[in-house]
Amino acid sequence: MAEFPETVRSISGWIRDAAAVRDWRRVERFANLAAVLNAPGLGEVLQLILDADVRDGLNEEDLVDILGEVRAVAAAGTIFQVVKRSLESDAPAYWLSQKAIGALGDIDTEEARRYLREMTTESWPNPIRWHAAVDLCIEDELGFDEDSMLE
């Protein structure tokens, strides 16, 4: 990183270029590298990709996870929208939703906590409600029973 700082600054552009040609494998590789190197612009470029609602071979779980890992504060709304639009396709295990809940917990802003709190409401599937409540440490306060919530 110290020897080649220009390379680190270029990674987000490489991700953008790979996304433009829908080379999702390359996007994911560069995104993982960029996360480790804390490359500038990573959060913004991943947000743009997720906002585009691609769904044709893109591993949204990994990108959401990376946004949490790098604590991309501005991405909380994007992460929440990814969850909302994928509820049907994410059922019944809700792997993407669980990654999103973890990412929002890692971001840990008032906005991120507000989205998590919303996911604990009756309108959400029980497994999501449970995981969001656990992340917020309010499952007991809300009277959630783990056995019934994960069904």
Side-chain angles (χ1 to χ4, degrees):
M1 288 175 12
E3 192 172 343
F4 300 102
E6 187 58 37
T7 300
V8 175
R9 287 192 295 272
S10 299
I11 296 173
S12 293
W14 298 342
I15 294 169
R16 187 175 282 110
D17 293 344
V21 295
R22 297 185 168 307
D23 186 343
W24 304 126
R25 190 167 168 203
R26 182 170 290 174
V27 165
E28 291 165 21
R29 285 181 180 167
F30 283 143
N32 282 303
L33 175 63
V36 171
L37 298 174
N38 196 24
L42 175 61
E44 294 84 2
V45 73
L46 296 185
Q47 265 186 271
L48 290 171
I49 292 168
L50 290 170
D51 284 339
D53 191 14
V54 176
R55 297 193 194 197
D56 69 345
L58 176 64
N59 185 340
E60 291 180 318
E61 284 180 33
D62 285 351
L63 300 189
V64 164
D65 198 33
I66 290 169
L67 287 171
E69 181 183 327
V70 300
R71 290 181 170 74
V73 171
T78 294
I79 293 168
F80 183 71
Q81 291 304 315
V82 167
V83 172
K84 282 178 64 175
R85 72 176 180 238
S86 68
L87 281 176
E88 190 175 308
S89 62
D90 200 24
Y94 298 105
W95 298 117
L96 174 58
S97 299
Q98 289 181 55
K99 292 277 187 167
I101 289 166
L104 290 169
D106 288 341
I107 291 172
D108 195 32
T109 61
E110 186 57 40
E111 178 186 24
R113 287 187 298 277
R114 189 174 61 248
Y115 289 131
L116 287 169
R117 185 79 156 164
E118 183 175 329
M119 286 188 233
T120 67
T121 63
E122 299 266 333
S123 63
W124 288 80
N126 284 344
I128 293 174
R129 294 177 62 218
W130 168 257
H131 289 289
V134 167
D135 197 272
L136 290 166
C137 299
I138 60 170
E139 68 275 17
D140 291 334
E141 173 188 324
L142 296 177
F144 287 167
D145 172 38
E146 180 177 8
D147 293 332
S148 66
M149 294 307 291
L150 297 178
E151 293 175 350

